[in-house]
Amino acid sequence: MFTNSKISKVALAVALSVGISTAAMAQVTSSSMAGQIVGPNGNPAEGTVITVTHVPTGAVKTTTVNAAGTFNLNGLRVGGPYKVEVDSDTFADQTIDGIYLSLGETASIARQLESEEDVERIAVTASQISSLSFGKKGPGADFDLTTLENAPAINRDITDIVRIDPRVYVDEGGNGGIQCVGKSPRFNSLTVDGVRMNDLFGLNSNGYPTERMPFSYDAIEGVAVEIAPFDVIYGGFSACNISAVSKTGTNEVHGSAFFDYGSDDLRGDSLEGDDVNIGNYTEKRYGFSIGAPLIEDKLFIFAAYEKLEGANLFDRGVAGAGAINDVALTQAELDEIVRISSELYQFDPGSVPTSLANEDEKLLIKLDWNINEQHRASLTYNYNDGNNYSESDGDADEFELSSHLYERGAEMTSYSGVLYSDWTDNFSTEVRVSYTELDNRQNSLSGDGTLGGNDFGEVKLFLDDVTVFLGSDDSRQANDLDWDAVSLMFRGNYYFDNGHSVTFGYESDTLDVFNIFVQHAETSLSFDSIADFESGFASDVEYGYAYSGDINDRAAEWGYTAHSVYIQDDFYLTDDLKINAGLRYDWITSSDNPEENADFLAGNGYSNSANLDGVSLLQPRIGLNYTYSDSTEIRGGIGLFSGGNPNVWMSNNYSGTNVAGGEVDGGDFGYDDGTRSLFDEDVVYVNVEDGAPVGPGYGVPSELDDLLDNGDAGNFESNNLDPDFEMPREWKISAGVTHVTDSDYILNADLLVSYTQDQAMIKYVGITEAGFTDEGYIDYDRNGYGSLELTNSGETSKSYSITTTMQKSWDNGLRLVAGYSYNHAEDVQPMTSSVAFSNYQYRAFTNPNEDVSSLSDWNIEHRFTADFSYVVELIPGLETRFNVYALTQSGRPFSYVYNKDDSNAIFGFTPYIDAGGVLPMGNERNGEESDWWTKVDIAVRQEIPAFSEDHKASVSLTIDNFTNMLSDDWGILNEVNFNTAYVGNTSPQSRQGDASLWEMRLGVSYKF
């Protein structure tokens, strides 16, 4: 219970602070209010009527204080302001104004009423209600509208905001993935208005289902990140949960419009003394938002639209060309490759890519309906379509001509509806239904964008120090993905008169997938020299297709439903100690099985047709909050979590059965041993598309096509699921403290320890250990049908983080949030790819089938962050706002490994090690570390006169990596690609150009 003695300074300071806090934010779309009302002598003020009004919309909720002197209200809108009226027949009434609620927060109202004889009514402001932020249980962060509007968010993405927390690292050198306490972005959950917006299929490394954040930045009211919430309503993640809630219309018409601009003229052109050529480009972003009443106090609309007209930049060029990263290829060699491709193969390989235009468009529309005092409904429509152009082979020793690039894109549409109901003062419910569909694009620039419609295959030239790529990337020659998801949720809350609050619910998420992923469908041709390319003597010819001749027969069409039930009790064990204890049970149902491979069954003694049906997990959780004194609060908990495992890993087991198709190569026909040229007259090319030249790249050698037509394919590893697969799980144990000094410094410290069990990994089955080599490596023999199996690790990986933060606001307009996090995260396999073979290959190991826990590829050991703001009126009546974000952090870990040839020499090609990755004996994975990185971003916003006193207009200047603008030696991010470097490489790191070069954006905005 809340008592008057617990109106503490710690809660007041946290309630009034902006930015990082440890408030518990759930996978919800609303907030709550609860508290205790007592009389002058501390006795429960039973029968007192509590009326809560959301001032902007006029929505009213009323409840009555029970015999324990407590009340509880759920389903309240995020934001405010709220007015709370305390109406007593016995004591003096009170009115509390100016309360603002954060996403998922339970605002605690603890009031002691006075005798009516002494005073008739008391007016109170929210700043006097110091218990508003009680109830924190685990590490996390929340960010309000002020932070969203003013931080140096150059990407207009929540990644620009959540990185303020030192536990949350955004991969600015890669695809912007959010990495929480050293975990993969694929293990996060993202919800907007309760709808899952994370990558349900698991294809993207940024964690989104789309190329960028799939909703308008200006549509968001608040964002919360939870790393270890011990509430049973959380599910579908084991790294962190990110929740966002959209704005709503109000009784007043309000809106905004913005435009910002960037170009190569507003970007750095040198790094560490080297002039760099980033190409010519411009980027424009613009959009608007509007909220309005359709029926005053009853029905409201809010809409937000945003458009990007941008560019993808590419940072590599031939030696001496002035690119951010030069490769070991001369201009003369490149010219010769282009000549041969154009003249002999009749294919234009393109140019050296510098920049390509891209687009992104978002629209969110939301209706809010105050049905009556007991019921409120909300409907949300969200749309996003955008693209990028990407490299597929981007190592420091690889070079791609523009024909080898590909378009990444996705069109996503989602609909959701939610109904909040208060059936009695004690019982409330929330019902939510949502539908999301996504059409993913993976189109080679060498093709026409249709499935199997690429005109030219892939060419790889293995030169002395670089591999040159042209033609259609091998993974985009037959690649298509569509999925749709339906989510249902019922959640109830019953508030007992004795102060216990019981939450219970059921949720289901149904996913249906159509996925085709066939490599080398248009062939992949390898050459060991430019001379061999000219003569047509290939070192490898690869071709993959369907046995039936219809590529659609290779599709994975499958689905499942994930179910959850949960129950939890929140109660005060003592006046100082609040407990939440509950159980969550998750289970999966599916009727779709991979097609059985008879050879797999005969060779391994079990079927490859296992699915996820029946996989389940019971997750107990308990959290606590203890008020130690009026300035110190202690929190903690322990709980089991699961979720975030990418479905693309499971999809591989449906498409990679080797039943519907496979892969062949030219080894049996003299194509890769120097005895037969691709230009020989006896080579017959088939499957040539209408109008295309008949020849290599455009067609398939008939012998290879005949093999597939006869159902005879080799050199292709099947994928399968372990029939005993268990749901991966992670125990999280947390302890934390908040202390507020006499000078109102808010100090936080959190310890998080996690134990990851049954984590997903890939093992090669069909081989057996046959002894050891002289160097101590495992020696393998084949004993069955070779397959890459998705299975569970038997190892427990231990991870821990220690985080401290400090917040302080001064009366002169200064505010500072600073933090430090030490992190040590472990896993068994990094699982960085969407392809089983790549997950098995692209890592460091001494035994490819080893089950060993070591430092995670995602770990950032030390991370310091600071968020600084200052508001001043340099021009009377017009506000000037300065915001600065700074970080300094240790580098990403990496390993020195043997190259491909040396790795295969160790294991005798059983299994085949295509990427290298074998550690020198005695070394551990990720024993090395890249350089530290330090950067500062700034934003300056100056108000300018608007058309009305009620309107606000401003101009803005945002500089990403202002550090690099001051000196081209500063702000440089150096990393090792794929976290591995070959033994003997004395310069394994490469500059990450997009993150290292400073960038400026100019903008203007208008609010009314």
Side-chain angles (χ1 to χ4, degrees):
M1 296 187 303
F2 297 101
T3 65
N4 193 50
S5 63
K6 299 308 172 190
I7 300 177
S8 65
K9 182 167 64 176
V10 57
L12 171 63
V14 175
L16 297 180
S17 64
V18 178
I20 292 179
S21 82
T22 52
M25 304 300 166
Q27 289 172 301
V28 294
T29 61
S30 62
S31 301
S32 303
M33 191 176 293
Q36 183 185 41
I37 307 298
V38 299
N41 297 321
N43 297 323
E46 182 181 3
T48 300
V49 176
I50 306 297
T51 302
V52 176
T53 303
H54 183 248
V55 176
T57 64
V60 176
K61 281 198 173 190
T62 302
T63 189
T64 303
V65 174
N66 61 24
T70 60
F71 71 91
N72 191 64
L73 287 168
N74 295 303
L76 300 175
R77 286 181 173 88
V78 175
Y82 280 90
K83 179 173 71 172
V84 177
E85 296 174 279
V86 183
D87 185 5
S88 172
D89 292 337
T90 307
F91 307 110
D93 298 338
Q94 292 193 11
T95 301
I96 309 164
D97 289 308
I99 295 176
Y100 286 82
L101 304 182
S102 295
L103 176 58
E105 176 184 280
T106 297
S108 301
I109 307 296
R111 301 304 299 162
Q112 185 171 33
L113 305 182
E114 298 187 22
S115 171
E116 193 172 20
E117 299 174 356
D118 298 332
V119 62
E120 183 175 342
R121 174 175 289 274
I122 297 176
V124 183
T125 63
S127 61
Q128 296 171 279
I129 309 301
S130 56
S131 56
L132 284 175
S133 289
F134 276 14
K136 297 169 291 295
K137 300 180 184 72
D142 70 274
F143 307 93
D144 64 4
L145 186 58
T146 300
T147 304
L148 287 164
E149 289 180 338
N150 296 297
I154 197 161
N155 301 302
R156 290 182 59 82
D157 193 296
I158 60 173
T159 56
D160 295 318
I161 305 302
V162 298
R163 63 179 182 162
I164 295 173
D165 190 300
R167 290 163 290 220
V168 181
Y169 168 59
V170 175
D171 183 14
E172 296 186 50
N175 290 314
I178 299 172
Q179 301 168 198
C180 299
V181 290
K183 307 291 183 180
S184 167
R186 287 186 167 97
F187 295 149
N188 298 336
S189 174
L190 170 66
T191 61
V192 179
D193 288 344
V195 179
R196 294 191 185 278
M197 289 288 175
N198 51 303
D199 185 9
L200 295 182
F201 189 70
L203 189 65
N204 296 336
S205 57
N206 64 4
Y208 295 139
T210 48
E211 286 303 290
R212 299 168 187 81
M213 188 173 72
F215 44 91
S216 170
Y217 188 78
D218 284 342
I220 302 306
E221 178 81 24
V223 177
V225 178
E226 284 298 333
I227 297 169
F230 301 107
D231 193 309
V232 294
I233 67 173
Y234 290 92
F237 73 96
S238 55
C240 67
N241 176 71
I242 305 166
S243 296
V245 64
S246 61
K247 298 173 182 176
T248 184
T250 67
N251 277 326
E252 295 183 359
V253 177
H254 62 87
S256 65
F258 84 94
F259 172 86
D260 69 15
Y261 174 85
S263 74
D264 57 293
D265 292 327
L266 299 176
R267 189 156 191 158
D269 57 8
S270 65
L271 288 173
E272 299 174 299
D274 299 328
D275 292 335
V276 296
N277 178 19
I278 60 174
N280 298 323
Y281 76 94
T282 61
E283 280 198 345
K284 295 182 288 183
R285 289 183 303 210
Y286 48 89
F288 69 88
S289 68
I290 187 167
L294 299 178
I295 303 174
E296 188 173 358
D297 290 340
K298 204 72 173 177
L299 184 63
F300 310 90
I301 187 171
F302 175 82
Y305 172 83
E306 185 170 330
K307 179 72 177 288
L308 163 71
E309 297 174 6
N312 289 118
L313 305 181
F314 304 94
D315 62 3
R316 282 174 295 169
V318 298
I324 294 173
N325 291 299
D326 289 346
V327 297
L329 180 73
T330 67
Q331 184 64 49
E333 290 173 320
L334 178 61
D335 292 342
E336 186 69 356
I337 292 169
V338 171
R339 180 192 66 80
I340 294 168
S341 177
S342 300
E343 294 180 359
L344 299 183
Y345 291 81
Q346 301 180 66
F347 174 71
D348 180 2
S351 58
V352 178
T354 54
S355 66
L356 287 172
N358 57 41
E359 289 188 348
D360 192 79
E361 193 169 27
K362 317 174 198 288
L363 174 64
L364 182 143
I365 302 174
K366 183 177 181 180
L367 292 174
D368 282 278
W369 181 20
N370 295 335
I371 303 172
N372 53 42
E373 190 172 318
Q374 288 75 40
H375 303 280
R376 177 171 70 89
S378 178
L379 297 173
T380 304
Y381 165 83
N382 191 58
Y383 174 84
N384 178 220
D385 189 7
N387 73 335
N388 276 307
Y389 293 97
S390 297
E391 298 171 320
S392 178
D393 298 279
D395 287 355
D397 59 353
E398 295 175 329
F399 181 81
E400 295 175 272
L401 283 157
S402 59
S403 62
H404 198 257
L405 304 180
Y406 67 97
E407 180 202 13
R408 297 172 51 97
E411 181 179 22
M412 187 204 74
T413 307
S414 74
Y415 310 84
S416 67
V418 60
L419 174 66
Y420 305 95
S421 299
D422 294 323
W423 301 100
T424 69
D425 284 351
N426 298 77
F427 180 49
S428 62
T429 60
E430 180 180 347
V431 180
R432 185 185 304 126
V433 180
S434 68
Y435 172 77
T436 303
E437 60 181 0
L438 183 129
D439 179 8
N440 183 273
R441 300 187 298 276
Q442 300 271 321
N443 299 330
S444 170
L445 266 65
S446 300
D448 60 9
T450 61
L451 186 62
N454 296 307
D455 296 326
F456 194 83
E458 180 182 63
V459 172
K460 296 181 285 189
L461 282 78
F462 295 97
L463 308 184
D464 289 339
D465 297 307
V466 65
T467 302
V468 180
F469 296 84
L470 56 95
S472 299
D473 167 55
D474 60 347
S475 293
R476 275 81 206 174
Q477 295 176 13
N479 193 321
D480 187 37
L481 168 66
D482 301 284
W483 58 257
D484 59 78
V486 177
S487 295
L488 307 173
M489 187 273 282
F490 168 81
R491 184 178 299 156
N493 181 273
Y494 192 86
Y495 194 65
F496 290 88
D497 289 344
N498 62 6
H500 285 256
S501 179
V502 176
T503 301
F504 55 92
Y506 167 78
E507 300 180 20
S508 71
D509 293 286
T510 299
L511 179 70
D512 288 304
V513 174
F514 175 87
N515 177 225
I516 290 180
F517 177 72
V518 181
Q519 292 178 305
H520 311 136
E522 296 283 346
T523 70
S524 181
L525 311 176
S526 298
F527 302 91
D528 289 339
S529 68
I530 296 177
D532 286 348
F533 181 43
E534 184 169 23
S535 63
F537 286 109
S539 59
D540 199 9
V541 178
E542 300 166 280
Y543 175 55
Y545 217 73
Y547 294 138
S548 66
D550 183 355
I551 196 67
N552 288 284
D553 290 340
R554 292 286 301 273
E557 295 186 75
W558 65 286
Y560 70 91
T561 300
H563 309 263
S564 302
V565 292
Y566 45 80
I567 187 168
Q568 176 175 287
D569 185 14
D570 289 76
F571 61 95
Y572 275 85
L573 189 64
T574 70
D575 286 348
D576 300 325
L577 179 61
K578 185 178 182 181
I579 303 290
N580 71 280
L583 289 172
R584 179 186 179 97
Y585 181 66
D586 294 347
W587 76 99
I588 295 174
T589 57
S590 176
S591 59
D592 297 325
N593 296 84
E595 190 171 1
E596 187 170 80
N597 184 322
D599 292 335
F600 182 102
L601 178 61
N604 297 329
Y606 61 95
S607 177
N608 66 298
S609 61
N611 65 9
L612 293 172
D613 188 55
V615 174
S616 63
L617 183 64
L618 181 66
Q619 301 158 68
R621 298 176 190 172
I622 184 169
L624 61 88
N625 170 264
Y626 179 67
T627 304
Y628 177 76
S629 70
D630 64 354
S631 60
T632 304
E633 183 178 71
I634 299 172
R635 57 188 168 271
I638 180 172
L640 189 61
F641 294 80
S642 182
N645 294 319
N647 290 300
V648 65
W649 298 342
M650 187 62 203
S651 192
N652 292 330
N653 304 321
Y654 286 86
S655 59
T657 62
N658 275 1
V659 176
E663 184 159 322
V664 296
D665 65 35
D668 295 332
F669 306 100
Y671 289 113
D672 58 6
D673 61 6
T675 63
R676 194 176 186 192
S677 169
L678 293 170
F679 296 120
D680 285 353
E681 293 183 358
D682 65 337
V683 181
V684 178
Y685 287 97
V686 297
N687 300 344
V688 179
E689 296 167 27
D690 292 342
V694 178
Y698 289 106
V700 180
S702 59
E703 300 95 335
L704 303 186
D705 190 60
D706 290 343
L707 283 177
L708 278 169
D709 287 345
N710 295 329
D712 184 11
N715 191 34
F716 181 80
E717 307 294 349
S718 72
N719 298 168
N720 73 286
L721 176 70
D722 183 347
D724 297 320
F725 187 79
E726 299 288 341
M727 191 177 292
R729 63 203 69 193
E730 181 165 296
W731 285 99
K732 293 177 182 283
I733 305 168
S734 174
V737 60
T738 297
H739 177 73
V740 180
T741 69
D742 293 338
S743 301
D744 292 330
Y745 284 86
I746 306 171
L747 308 177
N748 287 283
D750 282 287
L751 168 67
L752 174 66
V753 180
S754 63
Y755 296 89
T756 309
Q757 300 171 331
D758 293 325
Q759 55 194 291
M761 65 177 297
I762 302 294
K763 281 191 176 181
Y764 195 103
V765 297
I767 58 176
T768 185
E769 296 182 8
F772 295 89
T773 67
D774 293 340
E775 294 83 6
Y777 293 100
I778 298 291
D779 194 7
Y780 283 105
D781 283 339
R782 289 196 177 272
N783 69 336
Y785 188 91
S787 184
L788 295 162
E789 183 171 273
L790 178 62
T791 185
N792 299 110
S793 166
E795 286 290 304
T796 297
S797 293
K798 180 181 178 180
S799 305
Y800 54 91
S801 69
I802 301 171
T803 305
T804 61
T805 63
M806 182 274 289
Q807 304 176 53
K808 171 65 175 176
S809 296
W810 288 268
D811 293 338
N812 62 0
L814 287 170
R815 179 180 172 275
L816 175 66
V817 177
Y820 163 76
S821 186
Y822 173 83
N823 200 66
H824 179 91
E826 295 185 1
D827 56 29
V828 170
Q829 286 186 1
M831 302 289 282
T832 56
S833 178
S834 59
V835 180
F837 185 70
S838 296
N839 278 325
Y840 189 71
Q841 297 284 313
Y842 288 108
R843 55 192 176 94
F845 51 84
T846 54
N847 169 9
N849 266 4
E850 69 188 10
D851 192 355
V852 176
S853 181
S854 53
L855 192 66
S856 168
D857 284 14
W858 315 98
N859 190 70
I860 300 295
E861 186 174 19
H862 302 283
R863 191 160 187 269
F864 298 85
T865 61
D867 182 47
F868 169 85
S869 64
Y870 177 56
V871 182
V872 64
E873 288 188 4
L874 298 178
I875 304 173
L878 298 173
E879 197 173 78
T880 305
R881 180 180 291 269
F882 300 90
N883 283 78
V884 177
Y885 167 76
L887 73 83
T888 183
Q889 64 183 42
S890 53
R892 297 185 66 171
F894 71 95
S895 310
Y896 280 107
V897 298
Y898 293 123
N899 62 29
K900 171 183 171 181
D901 291 338
D902 292 339
S903 294
N904 276 313
I906 291 171
F907 287 99
F909 293 89
T910 306
Y912 177 55
I913 310 298
D914 182 58
V918 177
L919 287 162
M921 188 57 66
N923 287 14
E924 292 186 3
R925 176 164 64 101
N926 288 330
E928 311 292 330
E929 186 177 273
S930 299
D931 295 341
W932 279 61
W933 186 38
T934 300
K935 68 171 292 192
V936 174
D937 301 339
I938 65 171
V940 181
R941 289 173 174 81
Q942 175 62 58
E943 285 189 355
I944 58 177
F947 297 118
S948 170
E949 291 184 1
D950 297 332
H951 297 186
K952 285 189 176 182
S954 65
V955 293
S956 63
L957 166 68
T958 305
I959 302 176
D960 182 71
N961 205 344
F962 180 66
T963 338
N964 179 251
M965 189 178 189
L966 296 176
S967 170
D968 70 358
D969 290 324
W970 296 351
I972 308 297
L973 175 61
N974 289 300
E975 291 183 337
V976 175
N977 293 320
F978 294 107
N979 296 80
T980 56
Y982 291 148
V983 171
N985 186 347
T986 57
S987 302
Q989 300 183 84
S990 58
R991 291 188 302 219
Q992 306 302 308
D994 191 54
S996 299
L997 280 173
W998 66 267
E999 178 184 5
M1000 181 187 301
R1001 297 193 79 92
L1002 304 175
V1004 59
S1005 65
Y1006 195 90
K1007 296 179 182 180
F1008 59 92

